[in-house]
Amino acid sequence: MCGIVGVVSNKNVNEKLFNGLSNLEYRGYDSVGMCFINGGKFSIKKGVGKLEEVHKKVNFLKLNGNIGLGHCRWSTHGGVTEKNAHPHVDCKNKISVVHNGIIENYSELKDELTKKGHKFYSQTDTEVIAHLIEENLEGNKVEEALRAALKKVEGSYALGILFADEPGKLFAARNESPLIIGLGKNENFIASDVPSILSYTNKIVYLEDKEIAVLTNDGFDVFDLNGKEKRKKVHTIHWSKESSQKSGYKHFMLKEIYEQPRAIADTLNERIVNNSIIFEKEFALSDDFLKKIKRIVIVACGTSWHAALVGEFMFEELAKIPTEVEYASEFRYRHALLDKNTLVIAISQSGETADTIAALKEAKKYGVKTLSICNVIGSSITRISHDIIYTRAGPEIGVASTKAFTTQLAVLYLLTILLSKIRKTLNEKQIKDMIEGIRKIPLQLQSVLDEDDEILECAELYYNKLNSLYLGRGINFPIALEGALKLKEVSYIHAEGYPAAEMKHGPIALIDKNMPVVVIAPHDIYTYKKVLGNIEEVKARGGIIIAIATVGDKEVKKRAKHVIYIPKNLYTLSSILAIVPLQLLAYHIADKLGRDVDRPRSLAKSVTVE
Ligand code: F6R
């Protein structure tokens, strides 16, 4: 939700700012703007549309300066207009602000400031910040004015601020919206995320809530809102520069789907030692505690919530721990019944989803242990929760989550093995089989990817259908939900995921010869035969059946119009294999329809507002 980048250097920062902004576009693409300081004045260009479109009109690369800010917008307050595009300035055009978040008391502040004579040009909540700083500048240093202003602000913000009269200083502040500092050589950065500046530095400082940073080209200082200096740790991020580039793929989504064998292999790396699971030091929950827990509650949003449903199945089926999955946005506003024997797990790719952060904070009020499963090192969620297991998917840039999802499933699977072993719900042979099963996954995923041509054929046949249904059962019901979500978000085709048998209670009425029905039907001892029955029911109504089946399966083939095969493995691992063809199907359909796959309309990669 909105991307921010800023650079202060001893040379022209124009290209770095432009590149940083183009890497951040997945966060918002309603409008875009840039600001530089030249000779004590701002040069600002902005416009409505994506970076490339606006750049064609205004030529951002004509702007010059050793200090600058860039912003791409995902609108919350105020329509998508040039006036509402960031940066926003004060009355004297001396303070320039870019913002990600929501200022909750902006209306009161705006009224107060208007009464004092401030003139507003936009409908945004952001503009109040520029005027509020201006109001506090009278007789004060800029740092003091900034602190005084932020003390009055309620809500979430990641801010980049320039003062025309302070051309060597880049100011930043955060509260509940992500913002990092990147340390370069004779230049320093602020950004909404690490990948956007990874080509320039991997030395990162994470700002905490209610901290203000002042960056120059040769250093930085961080203060709290009372002006007290804070000591900050510099983290080295071990993501490669290439990982944040498309590397020849048409879209990030496709690249990230193809990266899954590697991402899973990385996620497993050094965590399986002699039939035991060993997570890193960020995971310090004792065996004693893990033996004692009576219940697990998982909070998450979107795709991560679907991963949580797979986790629920595994924890209950194998580790025998009662588990509930909650939408983080719901959990945060209800009084859940939690006690010391409950473990609360938050799952999040970005670690910055506002609702998931709030749900974790809510859980902590009950004094329960919290564990986060997260992809982004040092992100907010990892700093809030007691324990962490990192998925090692590498940066995920495409808005539709793909490799983050399968690595979340891999982590949940490893955690299930650990819990089952400690709680002795599985014997050594079963543990060994589980470990052998997951070890096969990277290679097996490669063989699923090798079926891409057949999946493309299906996409070519059905990309013009207006609706579709996704059916699965057991551990693959969440995969039906996730397959449908992928199609919806990147192609804008209506799709619904259902437990296959539940179809009879309503959705079956929708099935006719125009309805593609994707059925996940791996061979298993649980519901396979029932799913065959469900396929018959769809067929009897003329539905177009695209099935995901286990290699060698003949029964599904007899009934379905198209079959995509996944390799044989344990039932609990069928979900990791089954989602990949569905990701590819969604991708190819969206691409055939000419959608902007990596930047689907109205979506943003991390939802940092509630
Ligand atoms: C869908 C998608 C979203 C995210 C959701 C949670 O493809 O990406 O549904 O899964 O916004 O995001 P994280 O996992 O970053 O908390």
Side-chain angles (χ1 to χ4, degrees):
M1 313 250 127
C2 295
I4 291 177
V5 61
V7 196
V8 52
S9 175
N10 62 356
K11 44 187 182 295
N12 192 358
V13 298
N14 173 309
E15 222 178 280
K16 287 183 177 150
L17 204 59
F18 188 85
N19 291 342
L21 205 48
S22 72
N23 292 338
L24 280 172
E25 255 208 306
Y26 70 88
R27 298 180 69 89
Y29 24 87
D30 296 343
S31 49
V32 59
M34 278 194 198
C35 171
F36 291 82
I37 306 177
N38 282 302
K41 286 202 176 121
F42 291 134
S43 324
I44 294 181
K45 289 191 182 210
K46 54 185 180 175
V48 170
K50 293 179 177 150
L51 180 65
E52 265 163 40
E53 293 158 11
V54 182
H55 178 51
K56 263 190 206 146
K57 283 189 226 146
V58 304
N59 195 353
F60 283 119
L61 293 173
K62 271 200 168 160
L63 289 168
N64 283 310
N66 291 3
I67 185 164
L69 281 175
H71 183 270
C72 48
R73 181 167 186 247
W74 187 89
S75 55
T76 57
H77 292 61
V80 181
T81 63
E82 189 172 322
K83 273 193 174 170
N84 289 337
H86 299 214
H88 293 285
V89 294
D90 64 318
C91 299
K92 299 191 198 85
N93 207 8
K94 289 286 184 183
I95 305 164
S96 171
V97 178
V98 294
H99 168 220
N100 167 28
I102 292 179
I103 307 301
E104 283 164 6
N105 59 341
Y106 91 99
S107 178
E108 297 94 293
L109 291 171
K110 191 168 176 178
D111 288 349
E112 254 174 56
L113 290 161
T114 308
K115 278 188 203 135
K116 288 182 178 161
H118 290 262
K119 293 260 178 306
F120 285 80
Y121 292 91
S122 74
Q123 289 96 45
T124 63
D125 52 342
T126 305
E127 195 185 341
V128 296
I129 297 189
H131 293 278
L132 196 58
I133 301 171
E134 179 183 25
E135 184 61 28
N136 285 282
L137 204 50
E138 193 72 42
N140 275 332
K141 287 189 180 156
V142 293
E143 285 86 350
E144 287 162 350
L146 184 52
R147 287 202 299 271
L150 291 182
K151 279 185 181 172
K152 295 196 176 120
V153 166
E154 287 165 22
S156 57
Y157 52 79
L159 295 167
I161 304 161
L162 293 179
F163 292 87
D165 296 333
E166 294 272 6
K169 287 184 182 169
L170 170 58
F171 293 83
R174 81 156 265 175
N175 188 45
E176 294 178 7
S177 290
L179 197 62
I180 56 157
I181 297 174
L183 304 177
K185 207 168 164 215
N186 297 322
E187 60 190 7
N188 291 309
F189 302 79
I190 57 165
S192 298
D193 72 13
V194 176
S196 60
I197 53 171
L198 202 55
S199 309
Y200 307 117
T201 180
N202 65 348
K203 300 271 179 267
I204 302 295
V205 174
Y206 294 97
L207 277 185
E208 299 291 341
D209 285 350
K210 301 210 161 74
E211 284 184 345
I212 296 176
V214 187
L215 285 74
T216 58
N217 64 8
D218 59 4
F220 76 99
D221 291 302
V222 176
F223 304 92
D224 68 14
L225 290 191
N226 295 318
K228 189 167 173 259
E229 194 165 349
K230 305 279 288 280
R231 285 173 71 100
K232 301 296 290 181
K233 189 171 166 203
V234 179
H235 298 256
T236 304
I237 302 295
H238 297 287
W239 285 349
S240 69
K241 287 181 190 172
E242 297 70 42
S243 60
S244 60
Q245 284 149 16
K246 271 191 223 156
S247 313
Y249 285 89
K250 187 170 177 193
H251 294 102
F252 278 112
M253 182 177 176
L254 189 61
K255 176 185 174 229
E256 288 160 5
I257 292 173
Y258 270 81
E259 278 174 350
Q260 290 177 107
R262 202 254 329 126
I264 300 282
D266 287 351
T267 300
L268 304 181
N269 191 26
E270 293 184 0
R271 285 173 165 169
I272 303 173
V273 183
N274 301 331
N275 273 357
S276 292
I277 304 303
I278 300 179
F279 293 117
E280 303 67 43
K281 62 177 185 329
E282 295 90 354
F283 179 87
L285 292 171
S286 69
D287 286 9
D288 199 38
F289 172 74
L290 294 173
K291 238 183 244 165
K292 269 199 321 230
I293 46 177
K294 298 230 164 0
R295 185 169 158 240
I296 292 177
V297 174
I298 315 181
V299 292
C301 300
T303 288
S304 297
W305 186 81
H306 296 155
L309 292 177
V310 176
E312 176 187 22
F313 188 96
M314 294 196 273
F315 292 156
E316 295 205 331
E317 182 78 12
L318 303 167
K320 309 289 177 205
I321 306 176
T323 303
E324 283 152 56
V325 175
E326 300 253 9
Y327 284 113
S329 54
E330 291 297 313
F331 179 86
R332 64 181 290 188
Y333 288 117
R334 63 187 204 81
H335 301 286
L337 300 174
L338 303 174
D339 64 27
K340 292 218 163 60
N341 293 320
T342 308
L343 172 66
V344 173
I345 302 180
I347 306 181
S348 174
Q349 186 284 127
S350 62
E352 301 295 349
T353 301
D355 283 321
T356 313
I357 293 173
L360 258 185
K361 287 184 178 165
E362 177 66 20
K364 282 179 80 176
K365 285 189 198 155
Y366 294 82
V368 298
K369 278 269 182 211
T370 54
L371 163 68
S372 62
I373 296 177
C374 188
N375 194 39
V376 179
I377 296 175
S379 57
S380 300
I381 282 167
T382 64
R383 281 177 283 135
I384 295 168
S385 59
H386 298 110
D387 289 81
I388 313 159
I389 306 174
Y390 285 109
T391 50
R392 298 174 183 152
E396 192 179 66
I397 314 268
V399 164
S401 190
T402 53
K403 60 177 180 168
F405 178 70
T406 43
T407 54
Q408 287 166 351
L409 298 193
V411 163
L412 287 162
Y413 185 88
L414 293 181
L415 187 58
T416 305
I417 299 178
L418 180 85
L419 290 168
S420 308
K421 200 167 166 143
I422 291 173
R423 297 167 74 94
K424 299 197 178 8
T425 52
L426 296 178
N427 61 35
E428 279 304 311
K429 160 86 174 65
Q430 288 166 313
I431 300 276
K432 198 163 162 264
D433 290 348
M434 281 188 79
I435 287 174
E436 269 171 24
I438 188 87
R439 281 205 160 119
K440 285 186 205 150
I441 288 291
L443 264 183
Q444 292 192 326
L445 280 179
Q446 195 52 56
S447 70
V448 178
L449 292 168
D450 292 342
E451 288 190 77
D452 198 5
D453 284 350
E454 284 151 58
I455 300 166
L456 178 62
E457 265 172 43
C458 281
E460 278 166 348
L461 287 170
Y462 306 119
Y463 72 95
N464 54 2
K465 300 287 180 201
L466 301 178
N467 293 290
S468 59
L469 205 55
Y470 284 67
L471 304 176
R473 294 189 78 152
I475 202 164
N476 287 310
F477 160 53
I479 299 307
L481 293 177
E482 176 61 8
L485 178 68
K486 286 290 89 91
L487 185 69
K488 269 187 273 208
E489 61 185 341
V490 294
S491 72
Y492 318 146
I493 294 172
H494 172 242
E496 280 192 67
Y498 255 88
E502 187 64 19
M503 164 187 74
K504 288 196 280 293
H505 302 280
I508 198 164
L510 298 169
I511 297 173
D512 62 15
K513 63 179 179 14
N514 282 315
M515 174 75 99
V517 181
V518 177
V519 189
I520 303 139
H523 207 282
D524 67 67
I525 51 161
Y526 296 82
T527 50
Y528 169 72
K529 291 210 171 115
K530 307 283 171 201
V531 176
L532 288 181
N534 299 136
I535 294 178
E536 293 285 3
E537 288 154 5
V538 174
K539 200 172 170 194
R541 284 154 187 86
I544 308 155
I545 298 156
I546 303 169
I548 310 294
T550 309
V551 72
D553 186 308
K554 297 208 170 59
E555 293 307 311
V556 175
K557 177 93 184 139
K558 280 184 209 157
R559 295 164 173 87
K561 180 127 196 220
H562 308 274
V563 186
I564 314 291
Y565 290 103
I566 56 172
K568 272 194 195 120
N569 203 325
L570 298 177
Y571 175 61
T572 28
L573 288 167
S574 59
S575 49
I576 299 192
L577 297 164
I579 189 56
V580 176
L582 306 190
Q583 295 167 342
L584 284 167
L585 186 65
Y587 169 78
H588 288 308
I589 289 178
D591 190 38
K592 285 278 327 158
L593 290 167
R595 307 293 191 228
D596 193 345
V597 176
D598 287 331
R599 294 170 297 187
R601 69 182 177 209
S602 306
L603 296 177
K605 183 71 187 156
S606 57
V607 183
T608 54
V609 292
E610 71 167 293

PDB file of all heavy atoms in Angstrom, residues 301-304 347-351 353 356 399-401 408 485-486 489 605 607, ligand 1:
ATOM      1  N   CYS A 301      -3.863 -13.639   6.743  1.00  0.00           N
ATOM      2  CA  CYS A 301      -4.784 -13.066   5.748  1.00  0.00           C
ATOM      3  C   CYS A 301      -4.491 -13.679   4.374  1.00  0.00           C
ATOM      4  O   CYS A 301      -3.354 -14.056   4.090  1.00  0.00           O
ATOM      5  CB  CYS A 301      -4.553 -11.561   5.600  1.00  0.00           C
ATOM      6  SG  CYS A 301      -4.805 -10.634   7.098  1.00  0.00           S
ATOM      7  N   GLY A 302      -5.509 -13.700   3.544  1.00  0.00           N
ATOM      8  CA  GLY A 302      -5.344 -14.050   2.123  1.00  0.00           C
ATOM      9  C   GLY A 302      -4.701 -15.401   1.912  1.00  0.00           C
ATOM     10  O   GLY A 302      -5.075 -16.419   2.517  1.00  0.00           O
ATOM     11  N   THR A 303      -3.704 -15.422   1.051  1.00  0.00           N
ATOM     12  CA  THR A 303      -3.012 -16.668   0.729  1.00  0.00           C
ATOM     13  C   THR A 303      -2.395 -17.298   1.977  1.00  0.00           C
ATOM     14  O   THR A 303      -2.404 -18.518   2.150  1.00  0.00           O
ATOM     15  CB  THR A 303      -1.941 -16.370  -0.343  1.00  0.00           C
ATOM     16  OG1 THR A 303      -2.620 -16.131  -1.566  1.00  0.00           O
ATOM     17  CG2 THR A 303      -0.977 -17.509  -0.527  1.00  0.00           C
ATOM     18  N   SER A 304      -1.874 -16.462   2.850  1.00  0.00           N
ATOM     19  CA  SER A 304      -1.264 -16.995   4.083  1.00  0.00           C
ATOM     20  C   SER A 304      -2.330 -17.678   4.944  1.00  0.00           C
ATOM     21  O   SER A 304      -2.046 -18.637   5.663  1.00  0.00           O
ATOM     22  CB  SER A 304      -0.588 -15.874   4.874  1.00  0.00           C
ATOM     23  OG  SER A 304       0.456 -15.329   4.114  1.00  0.00           O
ATOM     24  N   ILE A 347       1.023 -16.163  10.277  1.00  0.00           N
ATOM     25  CA  ILE A 347       1.700 -16.477   9.011  1.00  0.00           C
ATOM     26  C   ILE A 347       1.608 -15.260   8.109  1.00  0.00           C
ATOM     27  O   ILE A 347       0.516 -14.705   7.909  1.00  0.00           O
ATOM     28  CB  ILE A 347       1.068 -17.696   8.307  1.00  0.00           C
ATOM     29  CG1 ILE A 347       1.029 -18.901   9.263  1.00  0.00           C
ATOM     30  CG2 ILE A 347       1.841 -18.046   7.043  1.00  0.00           C
ATOM     31  CD1 ILE A 347       0.441 -20.162   8.649  1.00  0.00           C
ATOM     32  N   SER A 348       2.732 -14.835   7.588  1.00  0.00           N
ATOM     33  CA  SER A 348       2.723 -13.670   6.698  1.00  0.00           C
ATOM     34  C   SER A 348       3.961 -13.673   5.823  1.00  0.00           C
ATOM     35  O   SER A 348       5.076 -13.855   6.326  1.00  0.00           O
ATOM     36  CB  SER A 348       2.699 -12.393   7.540  1.00  0.00           C
ATOM     37  OG  SER A 348       2.832 -11.262   6.725  1.00  0.00           O
ATOM     38  N   GLN A 349       3.763 -13.484   4.528  1.00  0.00           N
ATOM     39  CA  GLN A 349       4.913 -13.351   3.632  1.00  0.00           C
ATOM     40  C   GLN A 349       5.685 -12.093   3.988  1.00  0.00           C
ATOM     41  O   GLN A 349       6.871 -12.127   4.282  1.00  0.00           O
ATOM     42  CB  GLN A 349       4.417 -13.299   2.179  1.00  0.00           C
ATOM     43  CG  GLN A 349       5.499 -13.298   1.114  1.00  0.00           C
ATOM     44  CD  GLN A 349       6.230 -11.973   0.936  1.00  0.00           C
ATOM     45  OE1 GLN A 349       7.477 -11.939   0.979  1.00  0.00           O
ATOM     46  NE2 GLN A 349       5.535 -10.895   0.777  1.00  0.00           N
ATOM     47  N   SER A 350       4.978 -10.966   3.948  1.00  0.00           N
ATOM     48  CA  SER A 350       5.642  -9.660   4.085  1.00  0.00           C
ATOM     49  C   SER A 350       6.046  -9.346   5.517  1.00  0.00           C
ATOM     50  O   SER A 350       7.004  -8.617   5.749  1.00  0.00           O
ATOM     51  CB  SER A 350       4.686  -8.567   3.617  1.00  0.00           C
ATOM     52  OG  SER A 350       3.524  -8.563   4.439  1.00  0.00           O
ATOM     53  N   GLY A 351       5.276  -9.872   6.467  1.00  0.00           N
ATOM     54  CA  GLY A 351       5.504  -9.492   7.860  1.00  0.00           C
ATOM     55  C   GLY A 351       5.027  -8.081   8.157  1.00  0.00           C
ATOM     56  O   GLY A 351       5.316  -7.524   9.213  1.00  0.00           O
ATOM     57  N   THR A 353       1.598  -7.042   7.153  1.00  0.00           N
ATOM     58  CA  THR A 353       0.150  -6.933   6.988  1.00  0.00           C
ATOM     59  C   THR A 353      -0.471  -6.367   8.275  1.00  0.00           C
ATOM     60  O   THR A 353      -0.319  -6.956   9.355  1.00  0.00           O
ATOM     61  CB  THR A 353      -0.427  -8.325   6.652  1.00  0.00           C
ATOM     62  OG1 THR A 353       0.204  -8.756   5.449  1.00  0.00           O
ATOM     63  CG2 THR A 353      -1.925  -8.279   6.450  1.00  0.00           C
ATOM     64  N   THR A 356      -2.623  -8.630  10.511  1.00  0.00           N
ATOM     65  CA  THR A 356      -1.893  -9.727  11.158  1.00  0.00           C
ATOM     66  C   THR A 356      -1.041  -9.178  12.311  1.00  0.00           C
ATOM     67  O   THR A 356      -0.942  -9.801  13.381  1.00  0.00           O
ATOM     68  CB  THR A 356      -1.030 -10.496  10.126  1.00  0.00           C
ATOM     69  OG1 THR A 356      -1.854 -10.767   8.988  1.00  0.00           O
ATOM     70  CG2 THR A 356      -0.501 -11.788  10.679  1.00  0.00           C
ATOM     71  N   VAL A 399       2.522  -9.496  -7.208  1.00  0.00           N
ATOM     72  CA  VAL A 399       1.505  -9.262  -6.174  1.00  0.00           C
ATOM     73  C   VAL A 399       0.848 -10.575  -5.746  1.00  0.00           C
ATOM     74  O   VAL A 399       0.563 -10.789  -4.566  1.00  0.00           O
ATOM     75  CB  VAL A 399       0.472  -8.218  -6.670  1.00  0.00           C
ATOM     76  CG1 VAL A 399      -0.784  -8.247  -5.825  1.00  0.00           C
ATOM     77  CG2 VAL A 399       1.102  -6.825  -6.612  1.00  0.00           C
ATOM     78  N   ALA A 400       0.606 -11.465  -6.699  1.00  0.00           N
ATOM     79  CA  ALA A 400      -0.002 -12.755  -6.351  1.00  0.00           C
ATOM     80  C   ALA A 400       1.061 -13.646  -5.700  1.00  0.00           C
ATOM     81  O   ALA A 400       2.095 -13.933  -6.287  1.00  0.00           O
ATOM     82  CB  ALA A 400      -0.554 -13.417  -7.599  1.00  0.00           C
ATOM     83  N   SER A 401       0.763 -14.066  -4.507  1.00  0.00           N
ATOM     84  CA  SER A 401       1.733 -14.859  -3.754  1.00  0.00           C
ATOM     85  C   SER A 401       1.816 -16.285  -4.311  1.00  0.00           C
ATOM     86  O   SER A 401       0.791 -16.942  -4.502  1.00  0.00           O
ATOM     87  CB  SER A 401       1.265 -14.892  -2.302  1.00  0.00           C
ATOM     88  OG  SER A 401       2.262 -15.427  -1.505  1.00  0.00           O
ATOM     89  N   GLN A 408       5.626 -21.590   2.879  1.00  0.00           N
ATOM     90  CA  GLN A 408       4.871 -21.614   4.151  1.00  0.00           C
ATOM     91  C   GLN A 408       4.394 -23.039   4.430  1.00  0.00           C
ATOM     92  O   GLN A 408       4.483 -23.533   5.558  1.00  0.00           O
ATOM     93  CB  GLN A 408       3.648 -20.676   4.067  1.00  0.00           C
ATOM     94  CG  GLN A 408       4.005 -19.202   4.119  1.00  0.00           C
ATOM     95  CD  GLN A 408       2.849 -18.291   3.707  1.00  0.00           C
ATOM     96  OE1 GLN A 408       1.816 -18.752   3.211  1.00  0.00           O
ATOM     97  NE2 GLN A 408       3.030 -16.995   3.892  1.00  0.00           N
ATOM     98  N   LEU A 485      -8.459 -18.091  -5.713  1.00  0.00           N
ATOM     99  CA  LEU A 485      -7.963 -16.733  -5.400  1.00  0.00           C
ATOM    100  C   LEU A 485      -6.943 -16.285  -6.443  1.00  0.00           C
ATOM    101  O   LEU A 485      -6.978 -15.146  -6.919  1.00  0.00           O
ATOM    102  CB  LEU A 485      -7.339 -16.705  -3.991  1.00  0.00           C
ATOM    103  CG  LEU A 485      -6.748 -15.351  -3.573  1.00  0.00           C
ATOM    104  CD1 LEU A 485      -7.840 -14.305  -3.390  1.00  0.00           C
ATOM    105  CD2 LEU A 485      -5.948 -15.482  -2.273  1.00  0.00           C
ATOM    106  N   LYS A 486      -6.051 -17.205  -6.830  1.00  0.00           N
ATOM    107  CA  LYS A 486      -5.031 -16.840  -7.820  1.00  0.00           C
ATOM    108  C   LYS A 486      -5.704 -16.391  -9.112  1.00  0.00           C
ATOM    109  O   LYS A 486      -5.331 -15.378  -9.695  1.00  0.00           O
ATOM    110  CB  LYS A 486      -4.089 -18.027  -8.125  1.00  0.00           C
ATOM    111  CG  LYS A 486      -3.079 -18.387  -7.072  1.00  0.00           C
ATOM    112  CD  LYS A 486      -1.959 -17.393  -6.872  1.00  0.00           C
ATOM    113  CE  LYS A 486      -2.285 -16.352  -5.871  1.00  0.00           C
ATOM    114  NZ  LYS A 486      -1.946 -16.530  -4.476  1.00  0.00           N
ATOM    115  N   GLU A 489      -7.511 -12.913  -8.686  1.00  0.00           N
ATOM    116  CA  GLU A 489      -6.723 -11.690  -8.514  1.00  0.00           C
ATOM    117  C   GLU A 489      -5.926 -11.303  -9.748  1.00  0.00           C
ATOM    118  O   GLU A 489      -5.752 -10.116  -9.987  1.00  0.00           O
ATOM    119  CB  GLU A 489      -5.854 -11.741  -7.257  1.00  0.00           C
ATOM    120  CG  GLU A 489      -4.849 -12.828  -7.201  1.00  0.00           C
ATOM    121  CD  GLU A 489      -4.109 -12.866  -5.860  1.00  0.00           C
ATOM    122  OE1 GLU A 489      -4.107 -11.881  -5.118  1.00  0.00           O
ATOM    123  OE2 GLU A 489      -3.506 -13.908  -5.578  1.00  0.00           O
ATOM    124  N   LYS A 605       0.931  -5.429  -2.806  1.00  0.00           N
ATOM    125  CA  LYS A 605       1.649  -6.594  -2.291  1.00  0.00           C
ATOM    126  C   LYS A 605       1.516  -6.740  -0.789  1.00  0.00           C
ATOM    127  O   LYS A 605       1.273  -7.822  -0.285  1.00  0.00           O
ATOM    128  CB  LYS A 605       3.126  -6.484  -2.684  1.00  0.00           C
ATOM    129  CG  LYS A 605       3.955  -7.673  -2.266  1.00  0.00           C
ATOM    130  CD  LYS A 605       3.613  -8.884  -3.087  1.00  0.00           C
ATOM    131  CE  LYS A 605       4.296 -10.144  -2.613  1.00  0.00           C
ATOM    132  NZ  LYS A 605       3.549 -11.331  -3.038  1.00  0.00           N
ATOM    133  N   VAL A 607      -0.506  -5.377   2.548  1.00  0.00           N
ATOM    134  CA  VAL A 607      -1.671  -4.568   2.904  1.00  0.00           C
ATOM    135  C   VAL A 607      -1.407  -3.945   4.276  1.00  0.00           C
ATOM    136  O   VAL A 607      -1.725  -4.517   5.313  1.00  0.00           O
ATOM    137  CB  VAL A 607      -2.951  -5.428   2.878  1.00  0.00           C
ATOM    138  CG1 VAL A 607      -4.174  -4.579   3.171  1.00  0.00           C
ATOM    139  CG2 VAL A 607      -3.098  -6.069   1.501  1.00  0.00           C
TER     140      VAL A 607
HETATM  141  C1  F6R B   1      -2.727 -13.231  -2.635  1.00  0.00           C
HETATM  142  C2  F6R B   1      -1.934 -12.459  -1.722  1.00  0.00           C
HETATM  143  C3  F6R B   1      -2.593 -11.904  -0.513  1.00  0.00           C
HETATM  144  C4  F6R B   1      -1.666 -12.040   0.696  1.00  0.00           C
HETATM  145  C5  F6R B   1      -2.275 -11.328   1.905  1.00  0.00           C
HETATM  146  C6  F6R B   1      -1.424 -11.506   3.156  1.00  0.00           C
HETATM  147  O1  F6R B   1      -1.960 -13.717  -3.686  1.00  0.00           O
HETATM  148  O2  F6R B   1      -0.772 -12.274  -1.923  1.00  0.00           O
HETATM  149  O3  F6R B   1      -3.812 -12.514  -0.270  1.00  0.00           O
HETATM  150  O4  F6R B   1      -1.462 -13.388   0.964  1.00  0.00           O
HETATM  151  O5  F6R B   1      -2.396  -9.968   1.631  1.00  0.00           O
HETATM  152  O6  F6R B   1      -0.136 -11.022   2.959  1.00  0.00           O
HETATM  153  P1  F6R B   1       1.070 -11.458   3.884  1.00  0.00           P
HETATM  154  O7  F6R B   1       1.285 -12.898   3.688  1.00  0.00           O
HETATM  155  O8  F6R B   1       2.211 -10.618   3.423  1.00  0.00           O
HETATM  156  O9  F6R B   1       0.656 -11.151   5.296  1.00  0.00           O
END
